[in-house]
Amino acid sequence: MQGTNQWRGKFGPLITTTCALAGLVLWLSLSLCSAAYATQASPALTVAAFPAMDEIVRAAIPAWKKIHPDIDVNVVSLQIADHHSAMTTALLTGSHLPDVMALEFGYLGRFAQGGGLEDLAAPQYGMRNYQALYVPYAIAQATSKTGTIAAAPSDIGPGTLLYRADLLARAHVTEAELNGSWDSFVEAGIKIKKATGAYLVSHVQDVTDTMIRVGCKPGEGLYFDAQSHVLVKSARFVRAFQIAKKVRDNHLDAKMTHWSTEWTESFKRGTLATQLSGSWLAGHLGNWMAPNTAGLWRAAQLPEHSWAGFGGTFYAIPKNIPEQQKQNAWKLIQFLTQNPQIQLASFKEQNAFPALLSTYNDPFFDEPIPFLGGQKARLIWREAAGHIQAISVHKQDKFAEEVINTELDKVLDQGKDINAALDDAYRLLEKRAFR
């Protein structure tokens, strides 16, 4: 679910705000939280979230109240980047903390290793007793090298290749050509561009962001291994840069920023043939981004069966809140992440692909998706979810992402040698790895 990783905004467009406005919104929101503590006779819980996690929690409150009528739940929401900035500040200062904190995967590393979150593997939570309930890689992503579990997974983003079937037909390109290999993906793009004028991808970073997620060894992250050694000179980065350069050299990427007006318009106008993304994007396309293109899109596995995850959301508990609130917060997290009805409702209403394995045999997965021409695409995404390997998180992941994207730009725009670019990225990350 986003150069920064374009999928950070998986639940909707990021809204850029000034520091002053973000600060005002945050102050007002946290003031409301404080007021809730002061006025509620019952031990109300405050959940800090972002779109559409806020809607997921709000929708679950009526069912929660049937089980826990004495525990109210208040939801405070900011846009995704502002939310994570606010939570960073709250953890650092120990003030205005929520009881439950929603975290997006891209930000999980810095929070998990910051020391401000409860270890859900501790006896009072016993998360290890429940880990078999979830998709294995999701739990592993929230587990540190010392065995602590910083958060419980709510949803995941199985990677998929969404493509315009009508454009492929006009170019006489088959799905097998499109996703057989990364090289055939580029060759198919050349045919599509020649026949239709449509770009293959919105930006070459779509390709690199996907390819670097494949081939990590157990215990490794995207950019660092378990001992914080830098990995960016490995074969997966070299090949990702090579394929990205091939895409750019053939003018197959539109150089568009995700969630921009230009990007959303490209879906409506048929000027973009494919999108590498999490499965959630299909819902966005059908619901609000390009509903006029219903029936023209299909879903497939990523090229070379590159099993990769795009995003995912977790719930965590801050350390510096009252003990009673911690226990109630844990009850709420269990309710949101271990209740099949709640997980399925989130999937149906918000396209939040469940992390809870017991939902995977629900008939909803077998239902055809009209927007995808009646394709039973949820079965494709379920298969992908079963193959995705865990990627360890590191507190410097976001900085590393920026460094890699900067070096990729130098390769594509300035002709910098790929190995030289990765060498420079390596040296810079080596200085930050152990901070």
Side-chain angles (χ1 to χ4, degrees):
M1 21 191 172
Q2 288 154 334
T4 58
N5 188 330
Q6 301 297 334
W7 303 112
R8 298 292 180 258
K10 70 172 183 173
F11 289 117
L14 295 181
I15 299 177
T16 303
T17 60
T18 64
C19 292
L21 180 57
L24 176 60
V25 173
L26 174 60
W27 181 86
L28 290 172
S29 299
L30 293 178
S31 295
L32 288 173
C33 292
S34 299
Y37 279 113
T39 59
Q40 288 287 343
S42 59
L45 291 173
T46 298
V47 179
F50 48 85
M53 294 307 296
D54 52 359
E55 293 303 320
I56 287 173
V57 177
R58 289 189 184 105
I61 290 176
W64 163 264
K65 291 289 286 182
K66 289 181 180 179
I67 303 173
H68 301 282
D70 58 327
I71 305 176
D72 291 339
V73 177
N74 302 308
V75 181
V76 178
S77 180
L78 293 172
Q79 289 299 315
I80 190 166
D82 294 333
H83 163 79
H84 288 90
S85 294
M87 294 304 97
T88 299
T89 301
L91 289 172
L92 286 173
T93 62
S95 61
H96 300 300
L97 285 165
D99 302 301
V100 176
M101 182 184 297
L103 297 173
E104 205 275 334
F105 170 70
Y107 297 86
L108 184 61
R110 78 168 69 156
F111 284 89
Q113 298 186 35
L117 301 177
E118 285 285 287
D119 176 15
L120 300 185
Q124 64 268 36
Y125 306 112
M127 186 65 179
R128 296 201 183 285
N129 297 325
Y130 306 104
Q131 62 183 13
L133 299 177
Y134 303 95
V135 176
Y137 86 89
I139 285 288
Q141 287 177 334
T143 304
S144 74
K145 59 185 179 183
T146 61
T148 62
I149 300 177
S154 175
D155 62 80
I156 60 176
T160 190
L161 172 62
L162 299 174
Y163 67 88
R164 282 283 295 258
D166 58 328
L167 296 180
L168 264 66
R170 286 169 55 189
H172 302 288
V173 170
T174 66
E175 180 182 296
E177 290 178 89
L178 191 66
N179 72 346
S181 71
W182 286 105
D183 289 304
S184 70
F185 179 67
V186 177
E187 294 303 318
I190 294 172
K191 293 181 182 178
I192 293 169
K193 182 76 179 294
K194 183 177 180 180
T196 70
Y199 291 100
L200 177 63
V201 293
S202 55
H203 199 283
V204 289
Q205 285 181 4
D206 295 355
V207 175
T208 55
D209 285 348
T210 303
M211 293 185 70
I212 66 172
R213 281 168 165 74
V214 180
C216 295
K217 298 176 183 177
E220 286 186 347
L222 291 180
Y223 310 101
F224 306 92
D225 68 11
Q227 288 74 44
S228 289
H229 297 135
V230 182
L231 301 173
V232 300
K233 293 171 67 174
S234 63
R236 59 191 170 93
F237 280 88
V238 173
R239 186 161 185 242
F241 272 47
Q242 289 171 340
I243 295 296
K245 188 175 186 302
K246 191 174 179 181
V247 170
R248 177 61 59 83
D249 288 347
N250 285 282
H251 309 288
L252 300 181
D253 76 312
K255 304 179 185 179
M256 293 183 293
T257 301
H258 293 171
W259 307 113
S260 65
T261 300
E262 181 185 23
W263 185 61
T264 56
E265 284 297 315
S266 70
F267 293 123
K268 298 175 183 177
R269 297 174 180 174
T271 57
L272 188 61
T274 79
Q275 185 64 60
L276 305 161
S277 74
S279 59
W280 41 265
L281 185 63
H284 290 340
L285 288 172
N287 291 338
W288 62 273
M289 291 177 70
N292 62 307
T293 61
L296 301 179
W297 290 90
R298 299 292 185 274
Q301 302 294 7
L302 295 167
E304 292 183 12
H305 282 95
S306 299
W307 311 113
F310 288 79
T313 310
F314 299 76
Y315 293 112
I317 302 172
K319 282 185 177 179
N320 293 326
I321 63 172
E323 289 301 320
Q324 181 185 9
Q325 293 300 99
K326 291 179 183 179
Q327 289 305 309
N328 288 338
W330 174 235
K331 291 177 184 177
L332 179 60
I333 289 174
Q334 287 184 286
F335 180 76
L336 293 171
T337 68
Q338 297 176 11
N339 185 306
Q341 287 71 38
I342 298 300
Q343 285 267 295
L344 283 169
S346 301
F347 191 20
K348 294 175 182 179
E349 298 300 321
Q350 301 291 346
N351 303 297
F353 199 97
L356 188 66
L357 288 171
S358 62
T359 64
Y360 285 17
N361 289 323
D362 190 88
F364 183 62
F365 282 84
D366 294 308
E367 292 183 11
I369 301 176
F371 182 78
L372 297 177
Q375 184 182 17
K376 297 182 179 181
R378 298 184 189 97
L379 300 177
I380 295 174
W381 303 331
R382 185 176 68 185
E383 180 188 16
H387 286 85
I388 297 170
Q389 297 297 309
I391 297 175
S392 297
V393 295
H394 192 279
K395 61 184 177 181
Q396 297 292 354
D397 277 348
K398 192 159 182 60
F399 174 71
E401 177 187 53
E402 294 170 357
V403 170
I404 286 297
N405 287 337
T406 297
E407 290 300 327
L408 177 62
D409 287 340
K410 292 178 181 178
V411 169
L412 300 177
D413 300 332
Q414 302 173 21
K416 188 173 182 177
D417 177 75
I418 289 175
N419 289 323
L422 293 175
D423 284 343
D424 288 345
Y426 179 91
R427 282 190 288 270
L428 185 55
L429 294 179
E430 207 173 27
K431 297 176 182 179
R432 292 283 293 267
F434 297 97
R435 288 188 184 180

